[in-house]
Amino acid sequence: MNTLTSIKIADIYRWLEEVKDPEIPVLSLVDLGVITNVNVEGIHVTVEMTPTFVGCPAMDFMKSEVITVLKKYGVGDPQVDINFKSAWSSDKISEKGKASLKKFGLAPPPSTKDIQLDLNILEHSVCPRCNGTNTEMKSPFGPTLCRSLHYCFDCREAFEQFKPV
Amino acid sequence: MNEGALKELLYKMADDLLILGHRNSEWTGMGPLLEEDIAFSSMAQDKVGQSLALYNILHALGEQAPDTVAFTRHAAQFHNCILVELPNQEYDFSLIRHFLFDTADSLRWEMLTKSTYEPLSLLAKKIKGELRYHTLHANTWMKQLGTATQESISRLQQSLQVVMPYALGIFEPSPNESILLTEGIFEGESALQAKWKTRVEEIVSGTKLHLPDWKTVTPVFGGRLGKHSEHLEPMLNEMSEVFRMDPTAEW
């Protein structure tokens, strides 16, 4: 790969579309909303990232994937800065990302504005399979920190929701 | 900024989270039902991760690297409250501790969103959202088991009596209280305790449990000064066993 002589911020975002959430392979880090800033000065690239959950064990892995992909496109010595300057919220997941989650079988998170008012909204999450709302939350904790467990009485299937946070 | 006072605050918070995180992880594979197994394991992961974020701030302030701090100190160098180091015992004990600690912890982080120390206020804004799930979990089970059968109610009541003196130990007064307050870093343990009592009373009033008269409970202090129960040292030995086999290993 040739070394690049000029890089646009939009290029970086396009390349980062290739890096997926390791737990949810249909969702890119850009759509997940964990890429909080991209800074390009000449050919020096710094990507700022923030974890979905402070204890997210996938963060180091995602960081190394970002570096690998940028190097693949010829970015020399890309820097990744993980910080909390722009804290992640599930509201940062793009509309495209929410649609991919649903297709993957994971209920996308409702807006956290509704959650502030009423945590009971979690009790009636929309089933990603049949769109039914006759559901209940089995546990606010699931197989990863960002998912909760639910059951749908309409299609009688268990499902998981990406937690609003 | 008074760095000594700030570090004292960061260490006690980080140590609380690391130690309780480890205790929570001891429920992995042992929970009374699968969902609870997952819940305590998830909360363990959250808490250990949050402690790491605090140890990272301390590292940036010149303290040793997080792994060194977490795995090589002796019990007397830890500043956690004694509440979090007590063995898990039965589920009712763990639930009551989880309820009383996480109620305090979520209020603490909420107060810290206004801290003048930016690394802490940024982290607080992030963590307070995560903790809503911890308190939601605790409050749901308190209400459910605190109104269910005679056995569940009496077990919780008994644990409440046992845990309360230790829970008050969370708020052990710090010699730096007025410095932290003046510098706007943290409003202080007594302000936190007042908010905590109100919130605890509110949740318990929705159950058949009774809170002891606050005036009759003698807090168990000492943890913040490194004076711990006999339970911390063996726990630390177990927690750091693998690390100490080869402290230079790359993970």
Side-chain angles (χ1 to χ4, degrees), chain B residues 21 30 35 47 54 60 69 78 83 85 90 102 104 119 130 148 154 162 172 197 204 206 220 225 246 249:
Chain B
M30 310 283 279
E35 285 84 351
K47 290 198 186 316
L54 288 166
V69 168
F78 274 79
L83 172 72
E85 73 203 35
E90 300 271 335
D102 281 314
E130 300 181 359
S154 74
V162 173
E172 181 170 348
K197 281 183 177 171
V204 171
V220 179
L225 302 171
D246 183 1

Side-chain angles (χ1 to χ4, degrees), chain A residues 30-49:
Chain A
V30 176
D31 285 321
L32 180 59
V34 297
I35 306 291
T36 50
N37 192 34
V38 170
N39 188 34
V40 178
E41 277 177 44
I43 54 162
H44 300 289
V45 176
T46 304
V47 175
E48 289 184 76
M49 290 177 70

Side-chain angles (χ1 to χ4, degrees), chain A residues 98-108 125-135 147-161:
Chain A
K98 285 181 187 163
S100 316
L101 283 175
K102 187 161 187 269
K103 214 172 149 196
F104 187 64
L106 265 175
S125 297
V126 180
C127 172
R129 290 196 188 80
C130 73
N131 296 319
T133 52
N134 184 15
T135 67
R147 305 188 206 175
S148 48
L149 300 177
H150 301 258
Y151 183 78
C152 175
F153 292 103
D154 288 339
C155 67
R156 300 186 178 224
E157 289 275 2
F159 68 94
E160 292 165 15
Q161 174 167 273

Side-chain angles (χ1 to χ4, degrees), chain A residues 51-55 57 84-85 87-88 115-116 119 122 137-142 145 149 163-165, chain B residues 35-36 38-43 45-46 49-50 53 122-123 125-127 129-130 132-134 136-137:
Chain A
T52 51
F53 278 69
V54 174
F84 297 98
K85 277 189 244 167
W88 184 83
I115 301 294
Q116 297 297 339
L119 267 174
L122 295 171
M137 182 171 69
K138 287 295 198 186
S139 172
F141 297 101
L145 290 183
L149 300 177
K163 279 186 210 173
V165 65
Chain B
E35 285 84 351
E36 278 312 275
I38 295 170
F40 270 89
S41 306
S42 296
M43 291 189 290
Q45 201 178 357
D46 272 336
Q50 291 160 3
L122 288 175
L123 188 61
K125 280 172 196 143
K126 174 64 195 146
I127 287 181
E130 300 181 359
R132 288 168 66 82
Y133 287 94
H134 295 219
L136 170 71
H137 176 262

Side-chain angles (χ1 to χ4, degrees), chain B residues 174-211:
Chain B
S174 152
N176 296 319
E177 209 97 329
S178 63
I179 302 172
L180 293 172
L181 187 63
T182 316
E183 300 206 8
I185 297 170
F186 178 54
E187 288 168 69
E189 300 299 325
S190 57
L192 172 59
Q193 177 168 303
K195 289 181 196 224
W196 174 82
K197 281 183 177 171
T198 308
R199 189 73 64 87
V200 166
E201 283 165 2
E202 187 190 315
I203 304 296
V204 171
S205 71
T207 70
K208 290 187 177 159
L209 304 170
H210 302 285
L211 285 171

